[in-house]
Amino acid sequence: MRLHRLELTGFGPFREKQSVDFESFEHDGIFLIAGRTGAGKSSILDGVCFALYGSVPRYETGDKRLRSDHCAPEDPTEVRLEFTVGDRRWRVTRAPEYQRPARRGGGLTTEPTRAELEELVDGAWTGRAAKPRDVGLFLDEVLGLNAQQFQQVILLAQNRFSRFLLASGTERQSLLRALFGTRRYEEYARELGERSKAAQHELDALGERARTLLDQAERLIAAHELVPAEEAEAEAPLDLAARRAAVDLGQQRASYRLDTLTRERVAADDARTVAEAAHAERVALAKAQAELGRARERLATLEEAGPQIADDRRRLTRARSAEALRAPLETARRAERSAATTAELAASAAAAWGRAVAGTDDAGAPDLSAVVERLTGELAVWTAALAQEAALADGESRKTAAAAEVARLEADVVALDAQRAQVPAELERIDTELEAERAAASRRDPARERHEELTGRLAAAVEAEGLAATQRAAEIDHRDAAAAAAAAAARVAALLQLRLDGYAGELATTLVEGEPCAVCGATAHPSPAAPADEPVTDELLAAAESERDAAAAHERTAADAAKTARERQGAAAARAGGEGVEALRGQLAAATADLAAAERAVERRDALAARRTELAALDHEAEASRASLTERLAEARTRIAALEERVAAAREAVDAARGGHVSVADRVAHATSIRDAGRAAVDARAEAHRAATLAAQARTDVEERVAASVFADAAEANAALAAPRDVEALAERISAHDTQLGAARARMLELELELAGAPTEPVDTEASQAALAAADEGRTEALRAESDARTLVAGLRDLAMQIDQAYAGVAARAADAAAIARLADTVAGRAPNTMKMDLETFVLAAELEEIVAAANLRLSDMSSGRYRLQHTDARAARGAASGLGLEIMDAFTGQSRPAQSLSGGETFLASLALALGLAEVVTARAGGVRLDTLFVDEGFGSLDEETLDLAMRTLDELRQGGRTVGVISHVAAMKEQLPAQLAVEATPAGPSVIRQDAAARV
């Protein structure tokens, strides 16, 4: 992984956007991030960590104040980082949650957390994720390291450098667990413990189940009285074998009872079968007697309806005969009606023809068809002239329209020439006004610059006035804080003096006669000093020192605040140019008026220029329009001449075809009405003759068919006709009566034969019914007793099998439960585990050994062979985590000692070596991620010159293979050794800036 570029906006101490180009340090390999304490050196690493993981290591447990306190409410806060993993280049942008001005309604609103991830593809940034959660999940896959691992292998942050070395076993276990993800081994141990408990619970449950099943079997035997009274009164057996044998004996007795009850049930079945057969025989005889009576009554009813059925049969026969004549009769009636109707229509058509030709030469024409044919020919000639007559009116209309268009075009040409004659004078007037407005508009830019300058100076003057009060308040606060700090220091000095004065009295209280004094050695103590009335205790002195330190810190803070207030007030006054607010307001008002006048001149200039351009364009368009109008005028005159010729020819043809009528159309309409009347009269006469012929034929056919039928005439046949549904109903009623009569006679004969020889009096079935009920009740009781006995036998047999299976399961499960318990105790660090080390600690101990081996490669070199880290798995006291201890082997003494015994510089070297070793192992576990960028934050100030050289040599080795190492420190010697530097400076106004230029490489 290699970092390329970092941008910080409104983040930490940085208000304005600051950029860090890591690629510029690739040639040097190692660079220094320098700056005064508090300037914001570590904030660069905070920005890297926040961009990648959305968290900052320094604020893990405190207030996450990522947004710069120097930001105005409208200023943005954002971090952007470009980096490469493998051969893919990424850019991540994050913004924390902060308050900003609301866009509507005033006040503040919360700007939510924002994140965006992009990839450089073919030279363009392509979005991959756009929500904080999605970006986090995507980066987890891309980076291969979580935040804890990143802070151990790439970002060795401030206050974390020596944490791993000096941590207790429990703290080191928590850190290693986060780095190597070994919590699953703890889950394994917990799951094994739960499985052990579950196995024991299952074993107990199996034993309890076996006892419960025995109790249930014994209660079942007692409830069904399977034990003789003398045995029931004896004491119940307590051992398992005797109780199990008692269950078998009860099962045998239940089987014997079942056999006995089965025989009784078979006898009850036979008795019920006999009673059921006898009752069924008597019921069948009674039923046959009742049915014979009903059959006789039904036959009598059907025979009574015989005359009515005979009459229906005659009606049906005549209706069916008349139905054969229905079609001829209907045809004759329709033919008569049609003949009458057509005769009336023929007379009406003849009258209409007479009225149409009255007073004409055709009034007495004998052959109507010849007249119709002649009129049809003449109409064809006149219809052709009719089209010319319609075209004549259209031609006149078009000629009139063309003449109007010629007049309109001539008027347009005259008006257009008059308008164009005014254009030159208007253009000359506009040019004169435009020249004057251009001179006035040229003063706008100087007026705007003057207005902006005075606006800035006025704002600075207002700020200077406001800061003057802030400055006075800060200086008063500084004065009061300085006085309070001096008083607190004087209080501490007075207490110390009292403490020194009272030491003699305190020593005198410990003197014993005859024993030597701790100061002079004398055994006699003739004049011991008196103790002080109010001794100065350590608590009193510590409280006074705390007050002094707090007062001193407050004084420093007040001094910084006063200095900042003076600097800000001076800067604001300088920006105001030394003038007051009122004077600047007057100058700004005059400048505003000048700017407004210049703006109005610019507007008038632009309007005149646009008007001149528009007028010239309109003149050009008018010239083109006149040419077009002239061309259209010539075309219209030509069109009028052609229309006059066509109208004259059409009028001549129409006059010839009109004859004595008003118009050709009138003559065509008159001739058409006469022709249509003649044609209608011819057609009506032919239709009347055809209908009369058909009516005569239909009458003849009906007379012939009636003569051949059973009817005397057509009227009798019409009277015999019936509706089809009535005929169908008669046929169905007759057929149903015949069928029912035959069935009734057959059934009565069948029943008489069946009852031949049987008594005629009614049969009584109550006695046989009572006997059947008694037999059925006996059978039901026998079935219930047999079912209960069978259920008892099955239940005892099932309980016996379950008892045997339960005790067999207890024996088999006991061995498994013991094996699981031993494994769970061993994994959890309990006996028989003699090392008292759980599974997770054992895995972490193996990882720690690899880390120590990697760290010793550098620690031996940096300590000139004196120190080596050593892993110890000794058991810790009072139940602390064991197996993850670290010791320092000192080659000078040959003894190992705690890491806490190292000096500050030695602690830094050991921590650096251990951190680098940890980075190598974690990197290997993370899939071999290549670390091309590494940061080390602080710790070099505790090293002497020689040790510092050794540490620098170690860091210098890290840049091999193209790696870039960033070191954060304010040690002067490192500034001399590392020419590549990134300077972080706090400005007088408060916010810090990052300098990365030639000046920063000094």
Side-chain angles (χ1 to χ4, degrees), residues 942-996:
S942 60
L943 305 180
D944 56 39
E945 182 177 354
E946 182 179 356
T947 307
L948 179 61
D949 289 339
L950 291 174
M952 291 302 299
R953 187 165 64 238
T954 300
L955 292 177
D956 190 61
E957 293 175 356
L958 294 177
R959 65 178 182 172
Q960 295 178 0
R963 180 181 293 175
T964 303
V965 181
V967 179
I968 296 180
S969 179
H970 56 271
V971 177
M974 297 190 70
K975 293 182 180 180
E976 298 175 358
Q977 294 188 33
L978 299 178
Q981 296 181 16
L982 190 68
V984 182
E985 300 176 354
T987 63
S992 297
V993 296
I994 299 174
R995 291 176 50 209
Q996 185 179 355

Side-chain angles (χ1 to χ4, degrees), residues 189-190 229 292 298-299 332 383 414 567 608 630 643 744 791 821 954-955:
R190 182 187 59 76
L292 177 60
R298 176 63 176 163
L299 180 60
T383 300
V414 172
E567 292 175 349
L608 287 171
T630 303
L643 286 172
T791 301
T954 300
L955 292 177

Side-chain angles (χ1 to χ4, degrees), residues 315 317-323 325-326 329 333 702 706-707 709-722:
R315 287 175 57 199
T317 301
R318 289 180 62 81
R320 285 175 174 171
S321 298
E323 187 65 28
L325 298 174
R326 181 187 295 274
L329 291 172
R333 281 195 293 272
V702 167
V706 169
S709 67
V710 297
F711 301 105
D713 53 21
E716 184 179 349
N718 280 322
L721 284 173

Side-chain angles (χ1 to χ4, degrees), residues 548-592:
R548 179 201 62 193
D549 295 342
H554 181 61
E555 190 274 334
R556 289 192 298 271
T557 302
D560 292 341
K563 178 183 177 183
T564 301
R566 285 192 298 273
E567 292 175 349
R568 292 179 63 191
Q569 200 279 336
R575 291 197 303 274
E579 295 191 51
V581 174
E582 295 303 325
L584 289 172
R585 282 177 177 164
Q587 296 177 28
L588 179 60
T592 302

Side-chain angles (χ1 to χ4, degrees), residues 517-570:
C517 174
V519 177
C520 62
T523 58
H525 316 294
S527 302
D533 295 336
E534 294 183 2
V536 179
T537 63
D538 290 341
E539 291 78 5
L540 184 60
L541 185 59
E545 290 176 343
S546 297
E547 292 178 0
R548 179 201 62 193
D549 295 342
H554 181 61
E555 190 274 334
R556 289 192 298 271
T557 302
D560 292 341
K563 178 183 177 183
T564 301
R566 285 192 298 273
E567 292 175 349
R568 292 179 63 191
Q569 200 279 336

